[in-house]
Amino acid sequence: QVQLVESGGGLVQAGGSLRLSCAASGSIFSISVMGWYRQAPGNLRELVASITSGGRTNYADSVKGRFTVSRDNAQNTVYLQMNSLKPEDTAVYYCNAILLITGRPGQQVWWGQGTQVTVSS
């Protein structure tokens, strides 16, 4: 039906940058919100950043000024540019989309498989 495929994770030194991408595919009619969550070992999954189809963004306080979320609506793709990375940013990052599937009523929430981001000190 729907797939969210992430890419761009990896290992980086503190102060470095990474760019995550997530492409949604399948029987998608529309996507209202796309975003990124992260989960570190022993922690709950938390919102990092989100963006609506109209471009409205929302960020966790811990990443404001360092991370930028953007979106290509035509390609159903969301990006997360992460700058000035800190060791505490280390986590598995998950792509998230709230979308309508063609021919089905009601919005659904879909998740990617996750991509590991590790920031060394």
Side-chain angles (χ1 to χ4, degrees):
Q1 297 178 5
V2 174
Q3 274 193 316
L4 273 63
V5 179
E6 299 127 335
S7 61
L11 173 65
V12 65
Q13 288 188 331
S17 298
L18 283 174
R19 188 185 192 221
L20 305 183
S21 300
C22 172
S25 62
S27 302
I28 298 171
F29 180 77
S30 64
I31 305 178
S32 57
V33 183
M34 299 189 81
W36 293 93
Y37 287 70
R38 67 186 180 187
Q39 187 168 18
N43 290 357
L44 297 175
R45 191 173 296 189
E46 62 176 2
L47 173 69
V48 176
S50 65
I51 183 168
T52 68
S53 56
R56 182 181 302 176
T57 58
N58 183 41
Y59 294 94
D61 287 343
S62 60
V63 307
K64 284 181 180 176
R66 300 188 298 123
F67 291 10
T68 301
V69 63
S70 60
R71 176 172 171 174
D72 183 337
N73 289 329
Q75 300 295 323
N76 287 338
T77 300
V78 64
Y79 306 95
L80 185 68
Q81 178 66 43
M82 303 185 293
N83 298 329
S84 302
L85 282 160
K86 305 175 181 179
E88 51 263 45
D89 294 318
T90 295
V92 178
Y93 283 69
Y94 295 92
C95 175
N96 165 277
I98 302 174
L99 54 84
L100 283 170
I101 294 178
T102 302
R104 295 194 176 187
Q107 296 201 77
Q108 299 186 17
V109 179
W110 286 77
W111 293 90
Q113 79 285 359
T115 185
Q116 177 70 46
V117 171
T118 302
V119 184
S120 63
S121 57

